Amino acid sequence: DEQRGYDGIIRRVPNSKPGAGRARVFDTIGAFSAGSRMAILCTKLVFAAQSASPVMPTMTPSHVMLVHYAHGTRVQPKIFWHKDDAPNDGRNDRPVVSVSLGESCDFRLCHGWSFRRHRELEASGKMHTLRLESGDAVLFGGPARYMHHTVQCVHAGTCPAHLLPILGHSRLNVTFRDAPDVDVEAHRHFRPPSAGKKPVPVPSGAATNGRPRPQTVVHANHQAAIIDFESSKRARI
C-alpha cells in the first residue's frame, strides 16, 4: 500500500496485516542506534509504575517490538483481543512496557476475556476502556502480566504536530520486553495474529495459499520517533 505523507512524499506503508492496517518490527534493544536511551526511558517508566504499585516487578529490557498502525483504503487500524503470551513475549511476570506515539486510540483491557464471556464481562463492567494519546505508557506486569487487551480503533487526525513529519497520520506502539532467552531470528518472520489466535513463526519467503507472505518492513523513521518521545507531551501510568 502507498500513502502520501504529511510532507507530500508518497511512501510505502508497512502493513504486514493489511486488512487491519498493521505492521510489526521485532529485534533486540541493542540493534537500535538509540537502544541505550530507550532502555533508560523504559527503566524510568517501570520506576514510576512501582511507586504507584509495589507489586510491579522490576525488569531489564532485552527486546523491542514496534507495531505501526496506518489508515488506508477500507482499512480501520486495530488489533483483536489477545494477551502477550507468544513465544517471543517471554515467560515471566516482568512487565511489558508499552508506549504510544502518534495518533490516539481506544485501548480496552480485561482479565479473563473470552468469546463466550464477552457479553457477561461487558455487562459487569469488567472491561475497561482507555483513550491512549501520544506519550501515554501502559505496563502489564505482576498479576496483570497476561491481561487480555485490544486496540479497538485508532483516531485519525490526532497525531501531535511535532510528530507529523515523522509518523504522518499513523500510530506507533513501542513495547519493551524482558525476555533475554528469546532468539530474535526465530521470530523475525511470522504470521500476524488474527481472531484471537497466537502468532506462528514462519520461515522467510514462506507462501500461504500460493501467495507470498508479506514481509516485515522497517521504517528508518521509527528510531527518530522513539527519540522524539522524550519531548512528547506526557507519560501517564
Side-chain angles (χ1 to χ4, degrees), residues 53-159:
S53 177
V55 301
M56 180 66 71
T58 190
M59 65 94 79
T60 301
S62 61
H63 293 73
V64 176
M65 182 179 289
L66 309 178
V67 184
H68 181 269
Y69 296 81
H71 298 275
T73 305
R74 296 185 298 278
V75 171
Q76 171 60 55
K78 59 186 176 181
I79 191 168
F80 195 68
W81 285 100
H82 66 285
K83 54 184 178 180
D84 292 339
D85 61 350
N88 63 307
D89 290 325
R91 300 292 184 183
N92 52 60
D93 67 347
R94 283 163 272 175
V96 171
V97 180
S98 174
V99 178
S100 294
L101 294 171
E103 294 189 332
S104 60
C105 74
D106 287 347
F107 185 79
R108 307 199 77 190
L109 58 164
C110 178
H111 278 293
W113 180 90
S114 69
F115 280 110
R116 181 178 57 83
R117 300 185 62 210
H118 184 93
R119 291 185 179 179
E120 169 199 340
L121 293 167
E122 185 87 80
S124 65
K126 293 182 179 179
M127 286 187 188
H128 307 281
T129 302
L130 301 175
R131 173 74 173 256
L132 296 182
E133 299 185 18
S134 187
D136 285 349
V138 175
L139 283 77
F140 291 96
R145 171 62 179 81
Y146 296 103
M147 197 171 189
H148 281 83
H149 50 282
T150 174
V151 174
Q152 191 172 38
C153 67
V154 176
H155 298 281
T158 56
C159 182

Side-chain angles (χ1 to χ4, degrees), residues 8-9 12 30 36 47 54 64 115-116 148 150 154 180 193 198 208 213 221 229-230 233:
I9 299 175
R12 181 180 178 189
S36 59
F47 285 164
V64 176
F115 280 110
R116 181 178 57 83
H148 281 83
T150 174
V154 176
K198 295 180 181 179
T208 304
R213 174 65 60 184
N221 285 334
F229 170 74
E230 296 178 3
K233 60 181 180 180

Side-chain angles (χ1 to χ4, degrees), residues 29 83 98 167 174 185 188 224:
I29 194 167
K83 54 184 178 180
S98 174
L167 292 177
V174 185
E185 291 300 326
R188 191 172 297 281

